[in-house]
Amino acid sequence: MAAASLLELRGLTRRYGTMTAVQPIDLAIRENDFFAILGPSGCGKTTLLRMIGGFVQPSDGYVLIGGRDVTRLPPDKRPTGMVFQNYGLFSHMTVRQNVAYGLRLRRRPRAEIGAEVERMLDLVHLSPYADRPAKDLSGGQKQRVALARALILKPKVLLLDEPLAALDLQLRKAMHQELLAIHEAIGGTFILVSHDQTEVMTLANRVAVMSGGRVAQEGSPTEIYDRPADPFVARFIGDANLLPARRTGGVILLGDGAPPIPSPGADAAVDVMLRPEALRLVAGHGSGLRAYIEQVVFQGSHVRVHCLAKQAGGAEMRVTATLGRDVLPAGSGQGAAVSITWAEGAPLVLPAGA
Amino acid sequence: MRMPDAERAQLRREGLKTALLMAPAVIVFIGLFVAPLAWFFVQSFWRNATFRVVPDFQFGNYATAFRDYGGVLLRTLGTGLEVGGITTVLAFFFAYAVRFALGRAGPLILVIALTTLFGGYVVKVYAWRSLLGLDGILNGALMAAGLTDAPVEALLFNAGAVTVTLTHYLLPLAILPLYGALADMDETVIAAARDSGASAPRTMFDIVLPQIRPALIASFAMSFLLAAGDYVTPALVGSPGNAMYGNFIQSQFGLRMNTPLGAAMSFSLLGCCLLILATVWLVMRRVLRAR
Amino acid sequence: MHKTMTPLIGMQALRGSRGPTRREVLGGMLAASTASLGLPRMARAADARISYVGWEGYDSAFTAGGFLEQNGAELDATYIAATEDIITRLRSGGMGTVDITSFNHLYNPLMGEAGLIAPVKTDQMTNFDKLLPQFRDMATEADGTCYGIPLTFSSCALLYNPAMVSAAPTSWKDFLAPEYKGKVALFSDALTNILVWAPVATGVADPTRLTKAQLDETVDLLITLKKEHVRAMPASLGDGAELLIQGEVAMIMGWEPMVIWCREKGVEVSIAKPEEGTWAFVDTLNIATDAPNADLDLSLIDHAISADAQAEFGNANLLGIVNAEAVGQLSPELQELYGFDNLDAYFEHAHIYPRMFPLEPEGDFVTYDQVLDGYDRFLRA
Ligand SMILES: Nc1ncnc2c1ncn2[C@@H]1O[C@H](COP(=O)(O)OP(=O)(O)OP(=O)(O)O)[C@@H](O)[C@H]1O
Ligand SMILES: [Mg+2]
């Protein structure tokens, strides 16, 4: 058998009345995985995490940790820890008391608790605030207290529900490094819910994209990015041009001037995914998809160029390219004619979707 | 450093404005609370002669209040503590269930509980009397179930009946502040405590109770003071003639027209109540503190 | 329903706290309608406002028959919860504004001597001679002064439920019989308890003159009663009737109107005549010192004891009346209840005591304050 999974979900389901927040989910997460869950708001991420942590009873299915069924165990009997989306700080306690609470329950020696708390507070840059009442903190500070409170217990499974959402970019980047280091140090499984794909790419070694209560795709970050299973996932991870087309006789024609894309399979409507950074622009209408520049947006080191092209059927479609400033063709102003080119393996053909 | 004149004038205007805004509250407070109390406090050191009050300064009234009526005072405070304690505990469990356990039915049940506030106090006392009486519903049920063949007399006209009746009357009042405090409480906080490894009872003592301590004290203080100050319920369902301290105060002011002793007894009761509340406050602060 | 919230020490409070009976409500409505028919309301301000401080319900004797309207007067009534309320009112600036009060006759000489109420000129009254002889005699003190005109009487009656006793009680001591343990109820009023139980405990003839030993004996007996025999001390008279109606007690220190209250609830109770006798309550109407409308007040009191007013008052309040000519207009039920066919026998049993306990030390006798101290000892026990 392969490396046994630490956390296993079997047909885990949660219904609220007639609404199903989480469709039956099967997932196996290995020890030392840093597992990220992505998905639009309301797709059931928090509900899934809360079922793993034991705060929401599943309507169906099982949660196994280290092979043991914990589905019916209360949170305090599970080897899990959670950073809640809305913090859940103990408002009548100071920052230090919040962080120390779990260790105190475990009756660790005073000195050990003190040292451990100091270390944690230092880690989340909160040492100067140690003796403030938790209720008097800013949103970002509260989030860091919540993080420290969960981390200090070194749980086997750490559930992070958008733990860095309220932090500024600098602090968030610093926290990314800390989280990686802690994961490295204490091991176990981290499960992270995030809306920030950079964060997901930086931290996770596995990613699940959820949609409408189910897992749309699961895999490594590169797999998900390079080979999204459907247009939804493609759009959700990174930027993607999803160009509508038809497969006819094993070939797809995107539009005027575009090279035919070979694609085995029956005739059908498809979406062709092209990542913006995979596209190049050539001035004038030469070889490549013929288009006109609609707008050029400078983004520091990059420029995004929005172009309008014609589909094979004649309807207009928008194609966006991301280029280094140096490779932008001269005279690329609004309305300029360009040809869009790409490397042979770049297009990914997906079943037509929403 | 000296403040510029303009700034000082500004400050003075602000001060004046604050004073004007506070004036009505201060006047009401002094007129309705301080002045009458002060007047009675002065009188409590005076002396009573037949139907007349003689200015004096002596502690005889206070001595009488504690010596002759000490037993009644203790019983009264005991009733207050018992009813206050039971009511607060029940009210907490009720409010907790409504907030966290009963889901959508919770608010409805709360509203039903609060509607019992209508109908007044005496109606409730009589309702309990007909429940607990010799040919009351409870005795009827006991006899129908064959548990006794004669009605049980011990249900009514004793201290237990007083506690039951007062608790029933005070419960909805005590629920309100507790429910208010619990409604403000984030469920995630409880989840976080459980997540940190606290059992359900630990969570209750470490997290829930400390966070709603002011409401607990408010509920207790209210039910304690109302129970200790009540003398109607004991007269109606208590053991015969088991008068409360309030009865004797009332009798001093009314029947005996001994305002000085009545005032001294009032202040003795007030003082003891405040002392008890302060103790409860201190104990709660000690027991239900952040650790 | 006879309910009360008044915490009651003071028998009179017990009395005042009872709600209006059906008959009172009907009577009130009747009076209102005749008034509006006979005298179309005119936008004329009353020439005199008569201030009455006394028991609720007694004012029906004033309002009966349109006397007030004919004299351009209006009544301002302040109801009391205990007789002491009148004293408090008079002492705290009431003198000069209060016209009429309703002291129990026991208080009259003391109140008169204390200058709170003024002598009543009975010779200027047209109805005084129509009073039943018992009341005409008691109205005047030894020196010939009259401080109050009797308005009504009743007594502390031993009521029992015939269905719950083996034989009609013949003595207050039957309260102590093992058979009725936990089946009797006391009045919760200081004066009534002492005046009824002192003769039982000590055999004294006038319980308003007790020695310290006699008082202690009385209080000890009351304590024994309370601790070992009494089921409840009803907080009001209505409450006492409730105890009889619900079968909580077999006998009770009660009051005549309770018989009718119980009957209205379908429970028949009887009045026993304990050999020790009982205390008769006679309430009077008095004119306060410096009353603003002294002349009108006298006419109004005269009116209140007129035959028609008395009949209306008695029927409305279910109380005994004092005017001989009104007896025939009382309902047969009331005539029987108060034994009007042989009033001498009634008062042979229900004693009219001449005056209150002494307020200041008087020989060997305990003062009123000592009595109240003794009663407090009973309550605390
Ligand atoms: N207690 C509840 N009762 C009813 N519906 C609920 C409850 N909790 C969650 N839901 C519903 O379940 C669905 C999933 O909610 P969940 O909180 O898991 O979303 P999420 O993916 O975490 O969203 P977000 O990114 O906004 O935090 C939502 O439609 C939500 O309205
Ligand atoms: Mg969420």
Side-chain angles (χ1 to χ4, degrees), chain B residues 8 11-12 21 28-29 34 36 47 61 75 83 97 111 115 126 134 139 159 182 192 205 208 236 241 259:
Chain B
R8 221 160 356 154
L11 266 182
R12 214 170 20 235
L21 281 173
V28 167
F29 181 71
V34 179
R47 195 186 294 283
N61 295 322
R75 192 175 60 219
V83 172
V111 168
T115 51
Y126 274 89
L134 280 185
N139 262 320
L182 286 170
F205 277 101
V208 179
L236 287 174
T259 315

Side-chain angles (χ1 to χ4, degrees), chain A residues 46 85 161-162:
Chain A
T46 296
Q85 194 169 5
D161 197 352
E162 305 189 30

